[in-house]
Amino acid sequence: MTPAENEVADLCVELIRVDSSNYGDGSGPGERAAAEVVMARLAEVGIESTYIESEPGRGNVITRVEGTDPSLPALLVHGHLDVVPANAADWTVDPFAGEVRDGYIWGRGAVDMKDMDAMMLAVLRQLKQEGRRPRRDLVFAWLADEEAGGVYGAKYLTAHHPELFEGVTESISEVGGYSLEVDPSLRLYLIETAQKGLAWMKLVADGTAGHGSMLNSDNAVTEIAQAVARIGAHDWPLTYTPTVRRFLTEVAAAFGIPFDEDDPQPVLDKIGPLVRFVGATLRHTANPTQLDAGYKSNVIPGQATAVVDGRFLPGFEEEFFKTVDGLLGPKVRREFVHHDIALETSFDGALVESMIAALKAEDPAARAIPYCMSGGTDNKTFFADLGVRGFGFVPLRLPADMDFASMFHGVDERVPVDALQFGVRVLDRLLLNY
């Protein structure tokens, strides 16, 4: 085994054992301790890094590797150090013990995304120890706060330290590059090239306050309830972006079945649990999540509110909001709680070709295909503002029966050790040769 293969599991375990839970309200431990692990492992092999705190304890680590050809644009490779919280009582193992069992590393962050953090470290350490240099500059970044929107990580760095990303035109990060086994002779590797946009909307209805025993034709609760019901019951039509159409076409071809645009369900059925990642990318979604009105059982309030989690497809944002506004009704207005862009890039170019080549070199049965995420990452949110073209690419060859989608933010999160070893081999090929 290579040095990176030998140590990647230990690095992943070490990072998991650092509780960097992000509660989204500033009450968590922060990322500093995890960042210190990264910096210590880089320093061991003589790699200098930059540590930046956006707020006390909210740590980010960045280092740049100079390539042999300064005319080439730089590539950003980034991961986040924070994780979502875990309730130990729900788990089979201690979520922060980093236990290795039955060939898997168990713990919060095993797939989201201390696996990639460790793979980045292992590959970078190996490059340094062996004295090899990539063709282009590589910027490695271990970031804070992705799980709560990236305010203390990607957002802060791109706003206050854009010079760290000078010359970067492309990036790779989480939620892509994992395998879906069709049969032993064919594995599809899903590379994320698109993400839906985000619209958390507060709906507000104003009415006439009054006594609950009296007639009232201007009831704010009634108005908000009807608007929420209309939005929640709306049947959004199938809408195919270029990425989703190609994904479904490729999956259908791999399984030898037709793809009917009027009925994509037979194709979706073939991908099993991964439908959690892609099922919501065939249409817009708008899910009511909160309701609030009133303060006493016999008082009709003058205002009622609701919150809707909206996700819109790349290229169809205007259509989405036009439909939502039509469903609100004349007495309900909307305000943004949070609004973020949708993004889509094409599945072509030298980086895509290099990813495909690196995968096939390590797995001759590999076939790479693009897909769209129903959620979002900091690969899109802030680096896109710097003109960076982002891809989700954390290469993992997974067991055919592994429910990978359930690992993200799930109970008993775990990653196969041999998948990490596969990943460092692929990343090493990609980063050295691209």
Side-chain angles (χ1 to χ4, degrees):
M1 284 190 181
T2 65
E5 289 176 86
N6 276 323
E7 69 177 10
V8 66
D10 290 339
L11 291 169
C12 187
V13 166
E14 184 177 17
L15 287 167
I16 288 172
R17 288 176 176 170
V18 178
D19 182 356
S20 53
S21 298
N22 189 342
Y23 294 92
D25 59 2
S27 65
E31 298 84 4
R32 179 170 184 166
E36 288 174 343
V37 169
V38 171
M39 290 187 292
R41 297 295 165 253
L42 293 176
E44 278 181 350
V45 295
I47 298 174
E48 295 183 0
S49 59
T50 300
Y51 178 71
I52 296 174
E53 281 194 350
S54 49
E55 292 286 342
R58 310 311 301 268
N60 300 273
V61 181
I62 303 93
T63 189
R64 191 178 192 111
V65 179
E66 290 189 2
T68 58
D69 188 348
S71 69
L72 295 174
L75 175 68
L76 171 64
V77 186
H78 65 98
H80 60 83
L81 293 170
D82 62 322
V83 297
V84 296
N87 182 7
D90 297 333
W91 285 57
T92 304
V93 301
D94 181 342
F96 297 104
E99 184 174 331
V100 180
R101 179 190 294 189
D102 301 325
Y104 287 78
I105 300 171
W106 296 59
R108 177 57 85 219
V111 301
D112 189 14
M113 61 173 300
K114 289 181 176 178
D115 57 344
M116 180 60 163
D117 294 332
M119 289 158 62
M120 291 161 56
L121 264 178
V123 170
L124 183 51
R125 282 165 57 91
Q126 179 172 281
L127 288 177
K128 179 67 173 180
Q129 290 172 304
E130 295 178 351
R132 296 180 296 154
R133 291 178 62 191
R135 296 176 61 238
R136 67 188 66 237
D137 282 12
L138 302 175
V139 178
F140 286 79
W142 291 264
L143 304 172
D145 197 38
E146 192 277 341
E147 297 292 2
V151 172
Y152 300 111
K155 182 177 182 179
Y156 181 85
L157 293 179
T158 53
H160 298 279
H161 298 280
E163 72 281 354
L164 294 171
F165 310 103
E166 182 179 355
V168 171
T169 59
E170 295 169 310
S171 68
I172 59 173
S173 188
E174 63 178 326
V175 201
Y178 52 88
S179 66
L180 167 65
E181 186 162 315
V182 177
D183 58 51
S185 67
L186 177 60
R187 274 173 290 278
L188 303 178
Y189 285 83
L190 281 60
I191 298 176
E192 182 258 298
T193 60
Q195 298 181 17
K196 292 178 79 173
L198 172 65
W200 290 342
M201 298 170 286
K202 181 180 180 180
L203 310 185
V204 182
D206 294 310
T208 302
H211 199 288
S213 67
M214 298 180 181
L215 297 174
N216 189 319
S217 61
D218 188 30
N219 190 316
V221 176
T222 302
E223 293 296 336
I224 206 72
Q226 290 175 343
V228 166
R230 286 192 295 268
I231 290 173
H234 182 68
D235 185 14
W236 294 94
L238 291 168
T239 303
Y240 294 103
T241 63
T243 295
V244 172
R245 179 176 282 106
R246 179 165 177 179
F247 170 79
L248 293 171
T249 301
E250 294 268 13
V251 171
F255 283 95
I257 62 174
F259 165 42
D260 180 355
E261 290 198 5
D262 294 325
D263 181 19
Q265 195 58 48
V267 180
L268 294 175
D269 289 342
K270 290 295 185 180
I271 66 176
L274 288 179
V275 75
R276 294 192 189 101
F277 279 152
V278 302
T281 64
L282 280 68
R283 49 172 55 87
H284 304 301
T285 58
N287 290 310
T289 55
Q290 292 177 273
L291 284 169
D292 186 37
Y295 56 90
K296 198 171 186 294
S297 59
N298 64 343
V299 177
I300 299 171
Q303 187 176 89
T305 65
V307 175
V308 173
D309 183 338
R311 310 289 175 130
F312 52 89
L313 294 165
F316 295 92
E317 180 174 357
E318 182 178 349
E319 170 193 277
F320 172 79
F321 286 116
K322 182 178 179 180
T323 301
V324 168
D325 290 342
L327 294 168
L328 291 180
K331 294 185 178 181
V332 179
R333 66 183 185 275
R334 63 174 170 87
E335 304 167 356
F336 282 125
V337 177
H338 184 66
H339 180 208
D340 193 14
I341 62 171
L343 204 63
E344 183 170 34
T345 189
S346 55
F347 192 59
D348 56 18
L351 177 56
V352 170
E353 292 172 1
S354 294
M355 288 190 285
I356 293 171
L359 285 169
K360 288 191 72 67
E362 295 299 332
D363 181 4
R367 180 188 299 172
I369 63 174
Y371 88 103
C372 176
M373 273 188 68
S374 58
T377 72
D378 54 11
N379 207 11
K380 170 192 73 174
T381 309
F382 305 112
F383 295 114
D385 291 340
L386 298 182
V388 176
R389 184 184 183 213
F391 296 87
F393 188 69
V394 178
L396 298 171
R397 178 174 168 175
L398 301 171
D401 60 351
M402 183 178 180
D403 183 358
F404 188 59
S406 72
M407 297 295 105
F408 284 79
H409 299 189
V411 173
D412 288 344
E413 182 180 350
R414 57 197 181 273
V415 65
V417 171
D418 59 6
L420 295 183
Q421 294 168 338
F422 171 84
V424 294
R425 295 196 302 270
V426 173
L427 279 180
D428 184 82
R429 286 180 180 276
L430 172 66
L431 300 180
L432 192 67
N433 298 322
Y434 172 50

